[in-house]
Amino acid sequence: MTRDTRHPETICLHAGYRADPATGAVAPPIYQTTSYQFESTEHARQLFALEQPGNIYSRIMNPTCDMLEQRVAALEGGAAALAVASGQSASAMAVQNIAQAGDNIVSSTDLYGGTWNLFQHTLRQQGIEVRFVDPEDPNAFVEASDAKTRAWYAETLPNPKLHVFPIAEVAELGRQHGIPLIMDNTAAPVLCRPFDHGAAIVVYSTTKFIGGHGTSIGGMIVDGGNFDWAAHPERFPLLNQPDPSYHGAVWTEAAKPLGPIAYVLKARTTLLRDLGAAMSPFNAFLFMQGLETLPLRMREHCRNAQAVADFLDEHPAVTRVIHPSKQESFWRARADRHLAVGYGGLLGFELAGGAEAGRKFIDSLELFYHVANIGDARSLAIHPATTTHAQLTPEEQNATGVSPGYVRLSIGLEHIDDIRADLSQALAKAEGKPA
Ligand code: PLP
């Protein structure tokens, strides 16, 4: 397997697609088709038998999605990727691909609220137990694991705490026990490549920074190709035992001619086939477009967010700024070990006036959008306790770091003076002062 060794700026413009062989078109074509003409009955048979790669039906593969998959896999330094309908479906399928009823995974408590619900309720209802542990203690992952543990799961830069996850330490412990680490890298594309730190699988909500313009919902599962599933046949029966849903295919064997992609091959040929959470080719095109400027945008998100963190840190109405640059040296050193370019586009803060001041602040914003999203080119704000994390109990909210007065910002690409001006006037109103 050859990895693309070019820089992220180059990969994001060139990997996975050069020009359309039929027309020479330089922009990626949108293959808006459900199905593909087989050359013969023998050709069709070979495609279905996985004897040769090729397109069958757009629920399980599509040429525009394929370009995006190749580009994201190259950016991450992974072996292959699978585009899916949303970040939620990426997280769900990443677990369901190796865990079945009676199995468990161990997850960090510091999660996006939607993932928390998926793990705490929906996967549990399906018989997959998710054991939550404090990410501050890598050994907690070992202690919570047993013979039925199929994966460990965490986010690289989880909001609201924005404590970078100790990827290298936990991945190394996992490898000692034959357990893969799945990392949700949604908040840190380009800034962090979890495979470089030992993670086995990366998932994304491409809805956020990768798309970057708030137009489309999508997700991605990337296979690092760096985990030896066949070395642990008892832990991974779904990859090592004949699959009755695919005429007895053993995925670690079936993948051999294609490369170290057993995990993602199975996800495509069984879960995407059966659950049908496919990405539309039009959305794949928009994500390709987003990727073209991703490294550039991430630099600017980081620069603006740093300036906002410094500004809020000096503001008398603000009691606490949550941003990796403002964390104690231990946390900051961890962020420095895992993140390149900067500390990301997200930050949080708490107001002296608590929840009421937080609400007033958000209602007073004029430039920032008040939305349940992150990673847009525009600046965004939300009050998590009453929105994204509202379905959690107060205890669960506390465990994920959401206090009643916490305000989350996703800093966009506007001019920093205009961002600061909007924050200033909204902070003044939140304090009850004239702007
Ligand atoms: N992971 C993280 C870190 C997220 O922030 C989100 C959405 O906010 C998701 C996953 C889910 O992604 P989607 O909304 O694309 O389903």
Side-chain angles (χ1 to χ4, degrees), residues 155-368:
E155 290 181 18
T156 303
L157 185 58
N159 74 83
K161 286 185 192 159
L162 299 178
H163 283 170
V164 169
F165 183 76
I167 304 177
E169 291 99 310
V170 175
E172 172 55 26
L173 284 172
R175 283 176 187 276
Q176 287 169 17
H177 293 83
I179 301 174
L181 176 63
I182 303 173
M183 287 305 306
D184 179 340
N185 202 43
T186 297
V190 179
L191 311 183
C192 179
R193 296 209 313 176
F195 298 142
D196 293 348
H197 303 283
I201 304 297
V202 165
V203 296
Y204 273 110
S205 165
T206 54
T207 313
K208 317 294 179 190
F209 290 99
I210 289 181
H213 297 82
T215 61
S216 323
I217 301 285
M220 189 68 69
I221 303 172
V222 194
D223 186 337
N226 61 2
F227 193 88
D228 191 354
W229 308 99
H232 308 282
E234 277 162 22
R235 203 177 281 284
F236 304 109
L238 292 177
L239 293 175
N240 287 295
Q241 285 177 13
D243 186 338
S245 87
Y246 219 106
H247 45 69
V250 175
W251 295 110
T252 47
E253 292 294 322
K256 275 188 181 150
L258 306 169
I261 62 163
Y263 174 93
V264 83
L265 178 67
K266 176 189 176 291
R268 182 188 299 284
T269 48
T270 64
L271 287 182
L272 196 54
R273 176 197 63 184
D274 299 347
L275 302 178
M279 180 184 285
S280 91
F282 183 64
N283 283 2
F285 168 83
L286 291 171
F287 293 131
M288 293 280 281
Q289 190 97 343
L291 273 176
E292 291 191 359
T293 56
L294 180 67
L296 195 65
R297 285 187 288 108
M298 290 311 291
R299 274 201 289 277
E300 204 57 19
H301 281 296
C302 289
R303 206 161 67 107
N304 274 351
Q306 183 67 62
V308 170
D310 294 341
F311 164 76
L312 292 175
D313 209 26
E314 298 292 314
H315 199 286
V318 174
T319 49
R320 195 159 79 97
V321 175
I322 296 99
H323 184 260
S325 71
K326 306 296 174 197
Q327 288 162 1
E328 288 166 35
S329 57
F330 168 77
W331 295 112
R332 192 167 167 162
R334 184 187 283 168
D336 289 337
R337 277 201 305 281
H338 287 91
L339 303 181
V341 182
Y343 297 121
L346 305 178
L347 64 93
F349 66 96
E350 282 171 5
L351 285 162
E356 188 45 38
R359 265 196 291 274
K360 248 193 230 157
F361 167 81
I362 290 204
D363 285 337
S364 306
L365 288 166
E366 291 168 6
L367 183 71
F368 279 65

Side-chain angles (χ1 to χ4, degrees), residues 112-129:
Y112 162 61
T115 311
W116 177 285
N117 276 328
L118 167 71
F119 285 1
Q120 175 77 341
H121 301 292
T122 302
L123 286 186
R124 200 175 282 271
Q125 285 154 13
Q126 295 174 357
I128 299 170
E129 182 195 354

Side-chain angles (χ1 to χ4, degrees), residues 94-106 119 122-131 144-151 233-239 241 266:
V95 174
Q96 289 166 325
N97 200 39
I98 43 177
Q100 55 190 326
D103 295 343
N104 68 74
I105 68 161
V106 179
F119 285 1
T122 302
L123 286 186
R124 200 175 282 271
Q125 285 154 13
Q126 295 174 357
I128 299 170
E129 182 195 354
V130 182
R131 302 172 177 179
S145 297
D146 59 24
K148 290 278 192 183
T149 302
R150 304 299 181 231
E234 277 162 22
R235 203 177 281 284
F236 304 109
L238 292 177
L239 293 175
Q241 285 177 13
K266 176 189 176 291

